[in-house]
């Protein structure tokens, strides 16, 4: 898996991240010294993407556990559960972090010694990291079956290798296609206001030698028509039981355009992105971010002082607009409560 840049590195109790806000100008790594820095890194999107945030959160909990190897067991357990709650409060929309922290919290609660506690958390966090790379590759294998040689596929934001342990979700089929010599062209929508498409998706695909073309977000309809786009594929931050999908702001309008043009609209996501406690997208909390992300561009003021701003970071695409959700277990066509349960072999009710 050496073709991938590692966006999260865990070694002997220390967590290091690739600062994604510096890309593409600079590949700068940052050692996380304490919890405050970890929380800031998530909030400022130095580490970002739903799976990556969850893997990072897991490793931070491990790091905090190794710093508490003495003291009364119950007190340390309580402190770690507080750390976990603080991590969870960083970004409300992506559910992967909650799913990972729930698993790790169970290990904290059931530990019988401090030494065992840190070690078990570490084993679990490392296993989740290893599994994520395999999961993403499986998503890529299933997604690639939906494409044909020569297809031109549009995506938004960055659901790529740096948003996961490797491969990514929405970008995984393009890595697989490259490995197999299948030509696919990717169109990356720049993704205002923070430009994950322009800064991150084009950067990682270009360095992998994958055919990628950058457009601004307002060029999508024209590009679908003029460049004969054959499909749209996006990642996800939370998928509810009926298949409604929260993803980067701008995703919903892509789904509407796909419907208008009669092309498929795919969501690629691991099972850890499903929220089986929520029935529909109406229950998803949408993160709203600082107004300066909209009123400034690259540090320059681009709007009059005091103008009201609405800056939601995500939107929800209704399941009716989604052609299929691609998971590591397979492709869920026409997502709904029934098709999701059937394909995943689950009973979520
Ligand atoms: O705000 P971000 O950059 O964390 O948003 C990321 C996305 O919306 C991704 O599509 C999603 O997290 C999936 S990443 C595999």
């Amino acid at each position: 898996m050496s073709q991938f840049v590692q966006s999260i590195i865990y070694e002997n109790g220390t967590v290091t991240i690739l600062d994604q806000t510096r890309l593409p100008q600079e590949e700068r790594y940052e050692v996380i010294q304490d919890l405050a820095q970890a929380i800031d890194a998530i909030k400022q999107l130095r580490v970002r993407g739903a799976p990556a945030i969850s893997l990072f959160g897991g490793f931070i909990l491990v790091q905090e556990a190794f710093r508490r190897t003495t003291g009364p067991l119950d007190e340390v357990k309580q402190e770690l559960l507080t750390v976990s709650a603080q991590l969870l409060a960083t970004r409300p929309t992506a559910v992967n972090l909650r799913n990972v922290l729930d698993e790790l919290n169970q290990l904290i609660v059931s530990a019988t010694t401090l030494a065992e506690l840190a070690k078990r958390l570490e084993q679990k966090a490392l296993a989740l990291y290893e599994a994520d790379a395999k999961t993403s590759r499986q998503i890529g294998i299933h997604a690639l079956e939906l494409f044909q040689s020569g297809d031109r596929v549009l995506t938004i934001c960055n659901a790529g290798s740096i948003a996961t342990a490797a491969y990514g979700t929405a970008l995984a089929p393009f890595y697989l296609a490259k490995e197999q010599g299948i030509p696919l062209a990717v169109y990356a929508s720049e993704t205002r206001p923070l430009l994950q498409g322009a800064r991150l998706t084009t950067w990682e695909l270009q360095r992998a030698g994958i055919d990628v073309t950058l457009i601004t977000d307002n060029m999508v309809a024209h590009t679908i028509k003029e460049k004969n786009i054959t499909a749209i594929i996006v990642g996800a931050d939370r998928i509810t039981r009926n298949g409604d999908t929260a993803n980067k702001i701008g995703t919903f309008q892509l789904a509407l355009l796909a419907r208008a043009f009669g092309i498929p609209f795919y969501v690629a996501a691991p099972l850890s992105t499903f929220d089986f406690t929520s029935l529909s997208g109406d229950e998803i909390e949408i993160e709203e971010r600082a107004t300066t992300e909209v009123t400034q561009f690259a540090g320059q003021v681009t709007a009059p002082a005091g103008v009201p701003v609405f800056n939601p970071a995500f939107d929800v695409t209704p399941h009716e607009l989604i052609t299929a959700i691609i998971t590591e277990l397979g492709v869920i066509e026409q997502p709904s409560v029934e098709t999701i349960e059937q394909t995943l072999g689950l009973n979520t009710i």
Side-chain angles (χ1 to χ4, degrees), residues 119-165:
K119 211 64 215 156
R120 282 177 66 193
L121 284 178
E122 183 184 50
Q123 277 165 4
K124 185 71 189 172
L126 284 169
L128 288 169
Y129 185 86
E130 289 300 317
D132 188 72
K134 294 193 178 100
T135 295
S136 297
R137 192 178 155 82
Q138 275 312 117
I139 290 172
I141 290 169
H142 294 305
L144 189 53
E145 285 167 12
L146 302 169
F147 298 140
Q148 288 174 359
S149 175
D151 271 357
R152 293 161 304 284
V153 185
L154 193 136
T155 190
I156 189 170
C157 196
N158 173 268
S161 73
I162 55 173
T164 61

Short mmCIF file of all heavy atoms in Angstrom, two decimals, residues 119-165:
data_model
loop_
_atom_site.label_atom_id
_atom_site.label_comp_id
_atom_site.label_asym_id
_atom_site.label_seq_id
_atom_site.Cartn_x
_atom_site.Cartn_y
_atom_site.Cartn_z
N LYS A 119 -3.33 -1.25 26.61
CA LYS A 119 -2.91 -2.24 25.61
C LYS A 119 -4.09 -2.69 24.74
O LYS A 119 -3.99 -2.82 23.52
CB LYS A 119 -2.29 -3.44 26.35
CG LYS A 119 -1.21 -4.19 25.63
CD LYS A 119 0.03 -3.38 25.36
CE LYS A 119 0.63 -3.80 24.02
NZ LYS A 119 1.46 -2.80 23.40
N ARG A 120 -5.21 -2.92 25.41
CA ARG A 120 -6.39 -3.38 24.65
C ARG A 120 -6.93 -2.30 23.73
O ARG A 120 -7.35 -2.57 22.61
CB ARG A 120 -7.48 -3.87 25.62
CG ARG A 120 -7.18 -5.27 26.16
CD ARG A 120 -8.20 -5.71 27.17
NE ARG A 120 -9.54 -5.89 26.58
CZ ARG A 120 -10.65 -6.03 27.29
NH1 ARG A 120 -10.60 -5.99 28.61
NH2 ARG A 120 -11.81 -6.21 26.70
N LEU A 121 -6.88 -1.05 24.22
CA LEU A 121 -7.31 0.06 23.35
C LEU A 121 -6.40 0.16 22.14
O LEU A 121 -6.85 0.36 21.01
CB LEU A 121 -7.27 1.39 24.12
CG LEU A 121 -8.39 1.66 25.12
CD1 LEU A 121 -8.15 3.01 25.81
CD2 LEU A 121 -9.75 1.64 24.46
N GLU A 122 -5.10 -0.01 22.38
CA GLU A 122 -4.13 0.09 21.28
C GLU A 122 -4.37 -1.00 20.23
O GLU A 122 -4.41 -0.73 19.02
CB GLU A 122 -2.70 0.00 21.82
CG GLU A 122 -1.66 0.19 20.73
CD GLU A 122 -0.24 -0.01 21.27
OE1 GLU A 122 0.01 -1.05 21.94
OE2 GLU A 122 0.60 0.87 21.02
N GLN A 123 -4.56 -2.23 20.73
CA GLN A 123 -4.81 -3.35 19.79
C GLN A 123 -6.05 -3.08 18.94
O GLN A 123 -6.07 -3.31 17.74
CB GLN A 123 -5.00 -4.66 20.56
CG GLN A 123 -3.70 -5.32 20.94
CD GLN A 123 -3.91 -6.40 22.00
OE1 GLN A 123 -5.04 -6.69 22.41
NE2 GLN A 123 -2.81 -6.98 22.46
N LYS A 124 -7.08 -2.58 19.59
CA LYS A 124 -8.34 -2.33 18.86
C LYS A 124 -8.17 -1.21 17.84
O LYS A 124 -8.60 -1.34 16.68
CB LYS A 124 -9.44 -1.96 19.87
CG LYS A 124 -10.80 -1.80 19.26
CD LYS A 124 -11.36 -3.15 18.85
CE LYS A 124 -12.62 -3.04 18.05
NZ LYS A 124 -13.05 -4.33 17.51
N ALA A 125 -7.53 -0.11 18.25
CA ALA A 125 -7.36 1.04 17.34
C ALA A 125 -6.51 0.64 16.13
O ALA A 125 -6.80 1.02 14.99
CB ALA A 125 -6.74 2.21 18.08
N LEU A 126 -5.47 -0.16 16.37
CA LEU A 126 -4.63 -0.62 15.26
C LEU A 126 -5.40 -1.56 14.34
O LEU A 126 -5.28 -1.49 13.11
CB LEU A 126 -3.37 -1.32 15.80
CG LEU A 126 -2.29 -0.38 16.36
CD1 LEU A 126 -1.23 -1.18 17.12
CD2 LEU A 126 -1.65 0.44 15.25
N ALA A 127 -6.22 -2.42 14.93
CA ALA A 127 -7.02 -3.35 14.12
C ALA A 127 -8.02 -2.58 13.25
O ALA A 127 -8.22 -2.91 12.08
CB ALA A 127 -7.75 -4.34 15.03
N LEU A 128 -8.62 -1.54 13.83
CA LEU A 128 -9.58 -0.74 13.06
C LEU A 128 -8.87 -0.04 11.90
O LEU A 128 -9.41 0.07 10.79
CB LEU A 128 -10.25 0.30 13.97
CG LEU A 128 -11.26 -0.25 14.97
CD1 LEU A 128 -11.65 0.81 16.00
CD2 LEU A 128 -12.51 -0.77 14.25
N TYR A 129 -7.64 0.41 12.15
CA TYR A 129 -6.87 1.08 11.09
C TYR A 129 -6.57 0.10 9.95
O TYR A 129 -6.78 0.40 8.78
CB TYR A 129 -5.57 1.65 11.69
CG TYR A 129 -4.78 2.45 10.69
CD1 TYR A 129 -5.05 3.81 10.50
CD2 TYR A 129 -3.77 1.86 9.94
CE1 TYR A 129 -4.34 4.55 9.57
CE2 TYR A 129 -3.05 2.60 9.01
CZ TYR A 129 -3.34 3.94 8.83
OH TYR A 129 -2.63 4.67 7.91
N GLU A 130 -6.09 -1.09 10.33
CA GLU A 130 -5.78 -2.12 9.31
C GLU A 130 -7.05 -2.48 8.53
O GLU A 130 -7.04 -2.63 7.31
CB GLU A 130 -5.25 -3.40 9.98
CG GLU A 130 -3.85 -3.26 10.57
CD GLU A 130 -2.83 -2.90 9.51
OE1 GLU A 130 -2.88 -3.48 8.41
OE2 GLU A 130 -2.00 -2.01 9.78
N ALA A 131 -8.15 -2.64 9.25
CA ALA A 131 -9.41 -3.04 8.61
C ALA A 131 -9.89 -1.97 7.65
O ALA A 131 -10.46 -2.28 6.60
CB ALA A 131 -10.46 -3.31 9.68
N ASP A 132 -9.65 -0.70 7.98
CA ASP A 132 -10.15 0.38 7.13
C ASP A 132 -9.52 0.34 5.74
O ASP A 132 -10.20 0.58 4.73
CB ASP A 132 -9.89 1.74 7.79
CG ASP A 132 -10.57 2.86 7.04
OD1 ASP A 132 -11.81 2.95 7.10
OD2 ASP A 132 -9.88 3.63 6.34
N ALA A 133 -8.25 0.03 5.67
CA ALA A 133 -7.59 -0.06 4.36
C ALA A 133 -8.21 -1.18 3.52
O ALA A 133 -8.48 -1.02 2.33
CB ALA A 133 -6.10 -0.29 4.55
N LYS A 134 -8.48 -2.32 4.18
CA LYS A 134 -9.08 -3.47 3.47
C LYS A 134 -10.50 -3.14 3.05
O LYS A 134 -10.94 -3.46 1.93
CB LYS A 134 -9.07 -4.71 4.36
CG LYS A 134 -7.66 -5.20 4.66
CD LYS A 134 -7.68 -6.59 5.27
CE LYS A 134 -6.27 -7.09 5.52
NZ LYS A 134 -5.83 -6.96 6.90
N THR A 135 -11.24 -2.51 3.96
CA THR A 135 -12.63 -2.11 3.67
C THR A 135 -12.68 -1.20 2.46
O THR A 135 -13.50 -1.37 1.56
CB THR A 135 -13.19 -1.36 4.91
OG1 THR A 135 -13.25 -2.28 5.99
CG2 THR A 135 -14.56 -0.79 4.64
N SER A 136 -11.80 -0.22 2.44
CA SER A 136 -11.79 0.76 1.34
C SER A 136 -11.47 0.07 0.02
O SER A 136 -12.07 0.37 -1.01
CB SER A 136 -10.79 1.87 1.64
OG SER A 136 -11.17 2.57 2.80
N ARG A 137 -10.53 -0.88 0.07
CA ARG A 137 -10.20 -1.60 -1.16
C ARG A 137 -11.41 -2.41 -1.66
O ARG A 137 -11.70 -2.45 -2.85
CB ARG A 137 -8.99 -2.52 -0.92
CG ARG A 137 -8.41 -3.08 -2.20
CD ARG A 137 -7.19 -3.96 -1.97
NE ARG A 137 -7.06 -4.90 -3.07
CZ ARG A 137 -6.50 -4.62 -4.23
NH1 ARG A 137 -5.96 -3.45 -4.45
NH2 ARG A 137 -6.48 -5.52 -5.20
N GLN A 138 -12.12 -3.02 -0.72
CA GLN A 138 -13.33 -3.78 -1.10
C GLN A 138 -14.38 -2.87 -1.73
O GLN A 138 -15.02 -3.24 -2.72
CB GLN A 138 -13.95 -4.46 0.14
CG GLN A 138 -13.38 -5.79 0.51
CD GLN A 138 -13.24 -6.75 -0.67
OE1 GLN A 138 -12.13 -7.13 -1.02
NE2 GLN A 138 -14.35 -7.13 -1.30
N ILE A 139 -14.55 -1.68 -1.15
CA ILE A 139 -15.50 -0.71 -1.72
C ILE A 139 -15.07 -0.40 -3.16
O ILE A 139 -15.89 -0.36 -4.08
CB ILE A 139 -15.55 0.57 -0.86
CG1 ILE A 139 -16.23 0.28 0.47
CG2 ILE A 139 -16.26 1.71 -1.60
CD1 ILE A 139 -16.16 1.42 1.48
N GLY A 140 -13.78 -0.22 -3.35
CA GLY A 140 -13.26 0.08 -4.68
C GLY A 140 -13.54 -1.04 -5.67
O GLY A 140 -13.92 -0.79 -6.83
N ILE A 141 -13.38 -2.27 -5.22
CA ILE A 141 -13.63 -3.44 -6.10
C ILE A 141 -15.10 -3.44 -6.53
O ILE A 141 -15.42 -3.59 -7.71
CB ILE A 141 -13.25 -4.75 -5.38
CG1 ILE A 141 -11.73 -4.83 -5.24
CG2 ILE A 141 -13.80 -5.97 -6.12
CD1 ILE A 141 -11.22 -5.95 -4.33
N HIS A 142 -16.02 -3.26 -5.57
CA HIS A 142 -17.45 -3.25 -5.90
C HIS A 142 -17.81 -2.06 -6.79
O HIS A 142 -18.62 -2.19 -7.70
CB HIS A 142 -18.30 -3.23 -4.63
CG HIS A 142 -18.18 -4.48 -3.81
ND1 HIS A 142 -18.41 -5.73 -4.32
CD2 HIS A 142 -17.82 -4.67 -2.51
CE1 HIS A 142 -18.22 -6.63 -3.38
NE2 HIS A 142 -17.87 -6.02 -2.27
N ALA A 143 -17.23 -0.91 -6.49
CA ALA A 143 -17.57 0.30 -7.27
C ALA A 143 -17.07 0.18 -8.71
O ALA A 143 -17.76 0.59 -9.65
CB ALA A 143 -16.96 1.53 -6.60
N LEU A 144 -15.91 -0.41 -8.86
CA LEU A 144 -15.33 -0.51 -10.21
C LEU A 144 -16.21 -1.34 -11.14
O LEU A 144 -16.27 -1.10 -12.35
CB LEU A 144 -13.90 -1.08 -10.11
CG LEU A 144 -13.08 -1.06 -11.40
CD1 LEU A 144 -13.02 0.33 -12.02
CD2 LEU A 144 -11.66 -1.57 -11.13
N GLU A 145 -16.93 -2.29 -10.56
CA GLU A 145 -17.84 -3.12 -11.38
C GLU A 145 -18.96 -2.29 -12.01
O GLU A 145 -19.58 -2.71 -12.99
CB GLU A 145 -18.47 -4.23 -10.52
CG GLU A 145 -17.49 -5.35 -10.21
CD GLU A 145 -18.00 -6.28 -9.12
OE1 GLU A 145 -19.19 -6.20 -8.77
OE2 GLU A 145 -17.17 -7.06 -8.61
N LEU A 146 -19.21 -1.11 -11.44
CA LEU A 146 -20.29 -0.25 -11.95
C LEU A 146 -19.81 0.66 -13.08
O LEU A 146 -20.62 1.33 -13.72
CB LEU A 146 -20.87 0.60 -10.82
CG LEU A 146 -21.42 -0.19 -9.63
CD1 LEU A 146 -21.72 0.73 -8.46
CD2 LEU A 146 -22.69 -0.94 -10.05
N PHE A 147 -18.50 0.69 -13.31
CA PHE A 147 -17.95 1.58 -14.34
C PHE A 147 -17.45 0.77 -15.52
O PHE A 147 -17.13 -0.41 -15.40
CB PHE A 147 -16.80 2.41 -13.76
CG PHE A 147 -17.20 3.33 -12.64
CD1 PHE A 147 -16.39 3.50 -11.53
CD2 PHE A 147 -18.40 4.03 -12.69
CE1 PHE A 147 -16.75 4.34 -10.49
CE2 PHE A 147 -18.78 4.87 -11.66
CZ PHE A 147 -17.95 5.03 -10.56
N GLN A 148 -17.37 1.50 -16.67
CA GLN A 148 -16.82 0.87 -17.87
C GLN A 148 -15.59 1.64 -18.31
O GLN A 148 -15.49 2.85 -18.06
CB GLN A 148 -17.86 0.89 -18.99
CG GLN A 148 -18.97 -0.09 -18.69
CD GLN A 148 -20.10 -0.02 -19.69
OE1 GLN A 148 -20.07 0.77 -20.62
NE2 GLN A 148 -21.10 -0.85 -19.48
N SER A 149 -14.72 0.94 -19.00
CA SER A 149 -13.52 1.57 -19.54
C SER A 149 -13.90 2.84 -20.29
O SER A 149 -14.84 2.83 -21.10
CB SER A 149 -12.84 0.55 -20.46
OG SER A 149 -11.75 1.15 -21.08
N GLY A 150 -13.20 3.93 -19.99
CA GLY A 150 -13.47 5.19 -20.70
C GLY A 150 -14.50 6.07 -20.03
O GLY A 150 -14.75 7.19 -20.49
N ASP A 151 -15.11 5.60 -18.93
CA ASP A 151 -16.11 6.42 -18.25
C ASP A 151 -15.49 7.71 -17.71
O ASP A 151 -14.30 7.76 -17.37
CB ASP A 151 -16.73 5.64 -17.06
CG ASP A 151 -17.96 4.83 -17.49
OD1 ASP A 151 -18.35 4.93 -18.68
OD2 ASP A 151 -18.52 4.11 -16.65
N ARG A 152 -16.34 8.73 -17.62
CA ARG A 152 -15.94 10.03 -17.08
C ARG A 152 -16.81 10.28 -15.86
O ARG A 152 -18.04 10.42 -15.99
CB ARG A 152 -16.09 11.12 -18.14
CG ARG A 152 -15.10 10.95 -19.30
CD ARG A 152 -15.52 11.69 -20.52
NE ARG A 152 -16.85 11.28 -20.94
CZ ARG A 152 -17.14 10.12 -21.58
NH1 ARG A 152 -16.16 9.28 -21.87
NH2 ARG A 152 -18.37 9.83 -21.91
N VAL A 153 -16.20 10.32 -14.69
CA VAL A 153 -16.94 10.29 -13.44
C VAL A 153 -16.65 11.54 -12.61
O VAL A 153 -15.48 11.91 -12.44
CB VAL A 153 -16.56 9.02 -12.62
CG1 VAL A 153 -17.41 8.91 -11.37
CG2 VAL A 153 -16.68 7.77 -13.48
N LEU A 154 -17.71 12.14 -12.11
CA LEU A 154 -17.55 13.38 -11.34
C LEU A 154 -17.65 13.10 -9.84
O LEU A 154 -18.43 12.25 -9.41
CB LEU A 154 -18.64 14.36 -11.77
CG LEU A 154 -18.48 15.81 -11.32
CD1 LEU A 154 -18.78 16.76 -12.48
CD2 LEU A 154 -19.37 16.13 -10.15
N THR A 155 -16.86 13.83 -9.06
CA THR A 155 -16.90 13.68 -7.60
C THR A 155 -16.78 15.04 -6.94
O THR A 155 -16.42 16.03 -7.58
CB THR A 155 -15.82 12.71 -7.10
OG1 THR A 155 -16.05 12.41 -5.72
CG2 THR A 155 -14.42 13.27 -7.27
N ILE A 156 -17.10 15.09 -5.63
CA ILE A 156 -17.01 16.33 -4.86
C ILE A 156 -16.23 16.06 -3.58
O ILE A 156 -16.13 14.91 -3.14
CB ILE A 156 -18.42 16.88 -4.52
CG1 ILE A 156 -18.35 18.29 -3.91
CG2 ILE A 156 -19.20 15.93 -3.63
CD1 ILE A 156 -19.71 18.97 -3.77
N CYS A 157 -15.66 17.11 -3.02
CA CYS A 157 -14.91 17.02 -1.77
C CYS A 157 -13.73 16.07 -1.92
O CYS A 157 -13.21 15.88 -3.04
CB CYS A 157 -15.83 16.61 -0.62
SG CYS A 157 -15.12 16.93 1.01
N ASN A 158 -13.31 15.46 -0.84
CA ASN A 158 -12.26 14.45 -0.91
C ASN A 158 -12.67 13.25 -0.09
O ASN A 158 -12.70 13.31 1.14
CB ASN A 158 -10.91 14.99 -0.41
CG ASN A 158 -9.87 13.88 -0.32
OD1 ASN A 158 -9.71 13.24 0.73
ND2 ASN A 158 -9.21 13.60 -1.42
N ALA A 159 -13.05 12.19 -0.79
CA ALA A 159 -13.33 10.91 -0.14
C ALA A 159 -12.24 9.96 -0.62
O ALA A 159 -12.49 8.89 -1.14
CB ALA A 159 -14.72 10.41 -0.49
N GLY A 160 -11.01 10.41 -0.44
CA GLY A 160 -9.86 9.70 -0.99
C GLY A 160 -9.00 9.02 0.06
O GLY A 160 -9.42 8.87 1.22
N SER A 161 -7.80 8.63 -0.34
CA SER A 161 -6.94 7.84 0.55
C SER A 161 -6.61 8.63 1.82
O SER A 161 -6.52 8.05 2.90
CB SER A 161 -5.67 7.42 -0.18
OG SER A 161 -4.81 8.51 -0.36
N ILE A 162 -6.44 9.96 1.71
CA ILE A 162 -6.07 10.72 2.92
C ILE A 162 -7.26 10.92 3.86
O ILE A 162 -7.08 11.39 4.98
CB ILE A 162 -5.42 12.08 2.57
CG1 ILE A 162 -6.32 12.92 1.66
CG2 ILE A 162 -4.04 11.87 1.97
CD1 ILE A 162 -5.78 14.33 1.43
N ALA A 163 -8.47 10.55 3.41
CA ALA A 163 -9.64 10.60 4.30
C ALA A 163 -9.89 9.23 4.94
O ALA A 163 -10.89 9.05 5.65
CB ALA A 163 -10.87 11.04 3.51
N THR A 164 -9.01 8.28 4.68
CA THR A 164 -9.13 6.90 5.19
C THR A 164 -7.71 6.40 5.50
O THR A 164 -6.75 7.17 5.45
CB THR A 164 -9.75 5.99 4.12
OG1 THR A 164 -8.88 5.98 2.97
CG2 THR A 164 -11.14 6.45 3.68
N ALA A 165 -7.59 5.10 5.77
CA ALA A 165 -6.24 4.54 5.96
C ALA A 165 -5.54 4.34 4.61
O ALA A 165 -4.31 4.44 4.53
CB ALA A 165 -6.35 3.20 6.69
#
